[in-house]
Amino acid sequence: MIKAIIFDFDGVIVDSEIKKFKELQSILKNTNFILKENDFKDMTGKKTSSFLSTKFPKMTKLEIKKVTELRRKKELFVINKNLIPGIKKLLEFIKSKKIKIAITTGSNRELMKKTIEKNKIKKFFDLIISGEDFKQSKPSPECYKKTLKKLNLKTSEVIIIEDSIAGIKASKSAKCKVFGITTYLNKTELSEADKVFRNHEEILEYVKNLF
């Protein structure tokens, strides 16, 4: 029996991954560390610091910290992230069925909270696990194992919704059922998910038959 649905944040709840990538490109454009458009797929679902350390092995920890903090400050200065279409109706339905709802993301807690407050969806969430709550970025399963522990639920009692390859790998490594949504990547790229949906409207129609 499903007792909770766990949502990734960027690309699942808010349309933010492309904006984050463009900001990183802008910050790095006059350095020796240049991001190309095809790097976007590798960034999605990961903590910025983890992505940068993997992408640029010669970038020092201090440089990574500076870049990460600068990108975060820019985002906090202008909270302008739109909800993914259909997410609010999906959250409303899940809540009406007394199913717990959690967010598990590598994003900064302060930025995420401000975003969900601005979009008036804070009331839907029973638990929020942010990047400050775990050390290893997705595709490590650490974040989802922590979420399960906080919810006091078994792997068979949750469904995770993800938009990235790293997030899907993390979900499967945690031995959880995961749905992919093609916000930025295509069905083939998300093929490791148990099911892949085009949008939240499709997910809503599917989960209506579960509860």
Side-chain angles (χ1 to χ4, degrees):
M1 179 180 177
I2 300 300
K3 296 181 179 179
I5 295 186
I6 305 169
F7 289 81
D8 178 38
F9 186 63
D10 297 292
V12 174
I13 293 176
V14 292
D15 186 4
S16 53
E17 292 279 28
I18 292 175
K19 184 175 181 290
K20 286 171 63 177
F21 183 73
K22 294 295 185 185
E23 285 172 347
L24 273 180
Q25 276 189 314
S26 178
I27 292 168
L28 295 170
K29 68 179 180 180
N30 294 319
T31 71
N32 294 322
F33 308 105
I34 304 300
L35 288 176
K36 298 178 181 179
E37 294 301 320
N38 57 8
D39 293 319
F40 173 73
K41 181 171 69 175
D42 292 329
M43 187 202 75
T44 56
K46 298 176 183 175
K47 289 185 179 184
T48 301
S49 57
S50 178
F51 167 67
L52 290 174
S53 65
T54 302
K55 176 64 183 174
F56 304 115
K58 292 184 179 180
M59 186 179 281
T60 66
K61 289 183 178 180
L62 180 59
E63 288 172 323
I64 290 172
K65 185 178 179 180
K66 286 181 177 179
V67 170
T68 303
E69 288 179 350
L70 180 56
R71 186 195 60 77
R72 189 174 297 151
K73 285 178 181 178
K74 284 187 174 185
E75 286 191 283
L76 284 169
F77 184 72
V78 181
I79 302 294
N80 185 25
K81 295 182 177 181
N82 297 322
L83 294 178
I84 299 291
I87 183 62
K88 199 165 185 179
K89 284 187 177 180
L90 178 58
L91 292 172
E92 287 171 347
F93 174 78
I94 297 168
K95 203 69 174 178
S96 74
K97 297 300 179 180
K98 310 300 182 185
I99 304 297
K100 289 184 178 180
I101 304 174
I103 294 175
T104 300
T105 176
S107 290
N108 171 263
R109 180 177 292 273
E110 182 184 5
L111 176 62
M112 180 182 52
K113 282 193 170 183
K114 285 186 176 182
T115 302
I116 63 176
E117 285 169 2
K118 182 179 179 181
N119 284 288
K120 300 179 181 179
I121 57 171
K122 184 180 178 181
K123 63 183 179 181
F124 293 112
F125 303 106
D126 300 287
L127 175 67
I128 294 175
I129 298 293
S130 65
E132 293 88 339
D133 297 318
F134 56 94
K135 294 180 180 179
Q136 294 183 315
S137 177
K138 300 172 187 176
S140 164
E142 180 190 357
C143 59
Y144 285 123
K145 287 182 177 180
K146 180 151 195 172
T147 305
L148 288 167
K149 187 175 181 179
K150 289 282 186 180
L151 290 171
N152 193 29
L153 293 176
K154 301 174 183 177
T155 57
S156 60
E157 295 175 322
V158 305
I159 294 172
I160 297 170
I161 301 179
E162 274 282 0
D163 70 305
S164 70
I165 296 169
I168 288 170
K169 287 182 181 295
S171 305
K172 299 307 289 184
S173 293
K175 303 189 184 306
C176 295
K177 187 172 187 177
V178 56
F179 292 169
I181 182 169
T182 58
T183 307
Y184 307 117
L185 305 182
N186 61 45
K187 190 172 183 178
T188 301
E189 291 168 322
L190 303 179
S191 61
E192 288 188 44
D194 293 281
K195 288 187 176 295
V196 180
F197 299 87
R198 290 179 299 175
N199 49 50
H200 284 308
E201 287 82 0
E202 286 190 354
I203 296 177
L204 176 57
E205 290 306 309
Y206 184 85
V207 298
K208 279 180 179 178
N209 296 317
L210 295 180
F211 310 125

